[in-house]
Amino acid sequence: MILSNKTKRASTLALLLVFALLTFTTDSTTADAQTNRTRARRRQRTTTTTTAARSATRGRSTTTAPIVVPRLPPEGQSARTSNANGTSSTAQQTPTGASVAPSAAAAPQTPAPTPTPQQSAPADAIEDDEDVVRVTSNLVVVPVSVTDAKGEPVAGLKLEDFRLEEEGRRQELAQVGDADQVPLDIAILFDVSSSVSERYKFQQQAAARFLKDVLKPSDRAAIFSITDKPRLEQALASADSAATKLVSIPAASGPTPTAFYDSVVAASKYLAQNAPGRHRRVILVISDGEDNFSEQIRESAVAEYEATAKADNEAEKQRVRASRRRSQQALHTKALAEVQREVQRADAVFYSINPTGPSFRLNEISTRAQQNMQQLAETTGGSSFVPDKLEELESIFRRIAAELRAQYLLQYLSNSDAPPGKFLRIKVQTPTRSELRVRARQGYYVNR
């Protein structure tokens, strides 16, 4: 009996020991399984996060088009030129029907703003080797010229010196960029009609010297001639190439129609299609601004010519001209509105030089033409010049060159939810320096 009890106790202890070993093994297996599942979940989260980041970088949303604002490379380092949507440049169709491939000149890049855009990454955000910041098109860049009472550019202004309003609402400025570090694409429109043929060669040479003076290796110029239709004489190219072409354009040998409005529209669309979005865009016109052959004007001008030819005497001719000009005013107003819209859509600054001098005030047509050029300059942040004598052309070109070098580039993220195509008015001031004259475009078209 005693032996039996001992045997039972031994058997019980053995069973307890086996149970303990089984419990330990099961717990260890369970812990290992939990550890493996935890590690798997962590790997899955990491993969998902990486995939999402790559998707955001590539921009899988399809709602907006991007504006790429490159950071400035180190001094002396250049960057590749891209087109307006950041992809590789391809040949574009010119107003004359010729296929023109934009230059691939290297270009330094503009600073990037620090705020985060309010919109998500766009569908066609650019995959590029450059060090760029990809932001949506609520970024607005406004070139601003600031001059003193003598018309000299004012340098050294800071972010806090500017105040910018969009549709009456103050906007928070993100950065003031240095325009001299941003590539410049300029279209020069040269009037070859008989109305401005006096000292034609002098005008050409002055304009050619301007190009060589103002353009850096990363800048480009295109040349248009203003005749009976827009003519692209030289696609965007270096200063030397553009200047050489400019001085080779012959003057009109006789009476030549002038399609001024159509030529400015063609130059605006050309810059919009061929100048990268990060480049500054400028249109410089050397003309009296008179138009008698643009699409909206041509039919009425021909009717006036025919009616005048039928008049029996000079008094009757004057009466016909006066009557037709009154009816043409509405046509010119409509044409000017279209030109202004296209220049603003191209984000271009408009400058004009009227080589006819003060004599433009002698008749109604010339006065209207100069006023139209003045309006285009004021609405886009440029200037319109009328030299008292032709020898002043050199100093005017130098003044324009100085302004372009000293421009401030105000950058801000618009808080507007306006639809694409809407024109938003902006106003730039320097409240701390009220004595200064500030010129900037009066608005922009939403493009997102």
Side-chain angles (χ1 to χ4, degrees):
M1 185 72 177
I2 294 173
L3 179 61
S4 177
N5 289 337
K6 289 182 178 179
T7 302
K8 289 180 178 179
R9 284 195 296 271
S11 299
T12 301
L13 289 173
L15 289 172
L16 290 174
L17 180 59
V18 170
F19 179 77
L21 290 173
L22 290 173
T23 302
F24 176 78
T25 302
T26 302
D27 290 344
S28 298
T29 302
T30 303
D32 291 340
Q34 290 176 346
T35 300
N36 290 336
R37 286 196 295 270
T38 300
R39 289 174 178 171
R41 285 195 296 270
R42 288 177 179 171
R43 285 195 298 271
Q44 183 177 4
R45 284 199 300 270
T46 302
T47 303
T48 302
T49 302
T50 304
T51 302
R54 289 174 178 170
S55 297
T57 301
R58 292 171 183 163
R60 302 203 181 273
S61 168
T62 59
T63 56
T64 58
I67 291 181
V68 181
V69 184
R71 295 193 184 98
L72 286 175
E75 185 174 355
Q77 176 180 339
S78 61
R80 288 201 309 271
T81 298
S82 60
N83 62 17
N85 63 9
T87 58
S88 300
S89 296
T90 56
Q92 300 290 340
Q93 194 71 18
T94 71
T96 58
S99 181
V100 180
S103 170
Q109 302 175 326
T110 59
T114 53
T116 301
Q118 299 172 0
Q119 301 181 4
S120 59
D124 49 352
I126 292 84
E127 291 288 343
D128 202 314
D129 293 335
E130 305 295 342
D131 183 17
V132 300
V133 175
R134 295 166 176 82
V135 298
T136 51
S137 58
N138 58 339
L139 173 69
V140 182
V141 181
V142 184
V144 178
S145 297
V146 184
T147 54
D148 58 20
K150 297 180 180 179
E152 297 295 328
V154 176
L157 297 180
K158 306 297 183 183
L159 187 72
E160 56 270 18
D161 292 321
F162 293 95
R163 177 187 176 95
L164 188 147
E165 295 179 354
E166 181 183 281
E167 293 294 328
R169 296 186 299 272
R170 184 171 183 177
Q171 303 293 311
E172 181 180 355
L173 294 176
Q175 189 171 346
V176 177
D178 183 359
D180 201 34
Q181 299 184 39
V182 180
L184 171 66
D185 285 339
I186 182 170
I188 290 189
L189 279 64
F190 209 81
D191 195 336
V192 301
S193 65
S194 55
S195 61
V196 292
S197 59
E198 183 182 0
R199 300 192 67 181
Y200 180 81
K201 282 295 181 184
F202 176 80
Q203 298 172 39
Q204 284 182 310
Q205 293 167 359
R209 283 191 291 271
F210 163 77
L211 287 177
K212 293 181 179 180
D213 180 53
V214 74
L215 297 189
K216 303 188 298 297
S218 59
D219 301 332
R220 301 178 300 171
I223 309 298
F224 285 79
S225 61
I226 305 176
T227 57
D228 59 335
K229 63 181 179 180
R231 297 182 186 276
L232 177 61
E233 304 285 356
Q234 172 66 60
L236 285 169
S238 66
D240 287 339
S241 297
T244 299
K245 183 61 180 179
L246 178 61
V247 297
S248 70
I249 301 174
S253 57
T256 305
T258 306
F260 175 83
Y261 300 136
D262 287 353
S263 297
V264 179
V265 168
S268 301
K269 292 181 177 180
Y270 178 81
L271 287 180
Q273 294 170 1
N274 293 276
R278 69 178 183 271
H279 287 202
R280 291 181 294 156
R281 300 169 181 175
V282 171
I283 295 175
L284 172 57
V285 172
I286 305 170
S287 171
D288 58 9
E290 296 182 16
D291 191 302
N292 57 20
F293 217 68
S294 285
E295 185 175 349
Q296 298 188 34
I297 306 298
R298 186 183 308 123
E299 184 176 343
S300 179
V302 171
E304 177 186 343
Y305 175 81
E306 292 175 348
T308 304
K310 294 178 182 179
D312 295 331
N313 52 61
E314 186 60 32
E316 180 65 15
K317 290 181 180 181
Q318 292 295 336
R319 188 193 66 77
V320 170
R321 292 192 185 103
S323 175
R324 297 297 302 180
R325 286 170 188 169
R326 285 192 295 269
S327 64
Q328 285 183 17
Q329 182 59 48
L331 297 176
H332 282 275
T333 300
K334 183 179 180 181
L336 178 64
E338 179 186 351
V339 173
Q340 181 174 307
R341 181 168 58 250
E342 293 300 332
V343 175
Q344 290 172 326
R345 281 177 174 168
D347 288 338
V349 180
F350 182 89
Y351 286 88
S352 69
I353 302 176
N354 190 341
T356 61
S359 62
F360 78 87
R361 300 183 180 90
L362 298 179
N363 66 73
E364 181 182 347
I365 294 178
S366 299
T367 300
R368 179 184 60 205
Q370 175 56 36
Q371 290 173 345
N372 288 348
M373 292 194 295
Q374 180 70 37
Q375 180 176 327
L376 289 173
E378 290 177 353
T379 56
T380 61
S383 288
S384 183
F385 298 92
V386 182
D388 288 331
K389 51 186 179 181
L390 208 55
E391 285 72 19
E392 294 180 2
L393 273 179
E394 296 279 5
S395 62
I396 290 175
F397 279 123
R398 285 195 297 270
R399 179 173 172 180
I400 295 174
E403 280 192 11
L404 294 177
R405 293 193 190 101
Q407 279 181 327
Y408 298 88
L409 298 183
L410 304 187
Q411 303 177 19
Y412 72 98
L413 298 174
S414 172
N415 56 21
S416 172
D417 57 357
K422 174 72 174 178
F423 184 78
L424 299 180
R425 298 189 177 279
I426 59 178
K427 183 178 181 180
V428 181
Q429 298 173 301
T430 53
T432 60
R433 302 286 302 276
S434 57
E435 78 280 5
L436 301 180
R437 183 189 178 195
V438 179
R439 296 200 318 279
R441 57 179 176 171
Q442 296 181 359
Y444 69 98
Y445 283 92
V446 178
N447 183 25
R448 60 169 176 262

